[in-house]
């Protein structure tokens, strides 16, 4: 708890995005056909209609049609296809 508060203050003081300092996921939806996720903790489920990733405080689900993981590293993933929605299911870490 104290560490998170300190990291949030450091991010504010240095004028940096919070996800850069902490381990929070960063999600970018590009041109309706691509979703980029940074700071994921692994692939949980893979199907052409939904792909799920573990993140620090829950699970991110990308739903749609003809989905595929176009890039995957330890902390970065890119999903492409006909993306319909992005869902987050988890808990807030205070």
């Amino acid at each position: 708890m104290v560490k998170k508060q300190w990291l949030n203050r450091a991010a504010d003081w240095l004028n940096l995005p919070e996800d850069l300092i902490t381990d929070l996921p960063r999600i970018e939806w590009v041109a309706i056909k691509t979703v980029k996720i940074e700071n994921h903790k692994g692939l949980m489920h893979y199907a052409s209609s939904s792909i799920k990733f573990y993140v620090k405080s829950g699970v991110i689900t990308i739903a749609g049609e003809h989905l595929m993981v176009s890039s995957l590293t330890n902390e970065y993933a890119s999903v492409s296809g006909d993306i319909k929605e992005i869902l987050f299911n988890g808990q807030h870490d205070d």
Side-chain angles (χ1 to χ4, degrees):
M1 176 97 145
V2 173
K3 180 180 176 184
K4 183 177 180 187
Q5 290 174 345
W6 185 86
L7 289 172
N8 289 340
R9 287 186 186 147
D12 287 342
W13 183 70
L14 295 170
N15 199 23
L16 296 171
E18 188 176 351
D19 62 302
L20 186 63
I21 299 263
T22 63
D23 207 11
L24 295 174
R26 178 182 169 99
I27 303 167
E28 184 178 359
W29 195 347
V30 181
I32 310 211
K33 295 280 187 183
T34 304
V35 172
K36 299 176 182 179
I37 301 173
E38 295 177 19
N39 295 329
H40 72 84
K41 301 298 180 192
L43 189 61
M44 176 183 183
H45 169 79
Y46 187 98
S48 65
S49 61
S50 69
I51 298 174
K52 296 181 181 184
F53 291 93
Y54 290 109
V55 293
K56 182 177 181 181
S57 57
V59 175
I60 293 172
T61 302
I62 301 166
E65 299 174 352
H66 313 293
L67 299 178
M68 62 183 241
V69 176
S70 50
S71 178
L72 182 65
T73 67
N74 288 343
E75 294 185 354
Y76 172 83
S78 179
V79 174
S80 59
D82 297 327
I83 298 164
K84 305 295 182 202
E85 65 182 351
I86 301 169
L87 303 168
F88 173 73
N89 185 7
Q91 58 195 21
H92 187 58
D93 242 4
D94 278 340

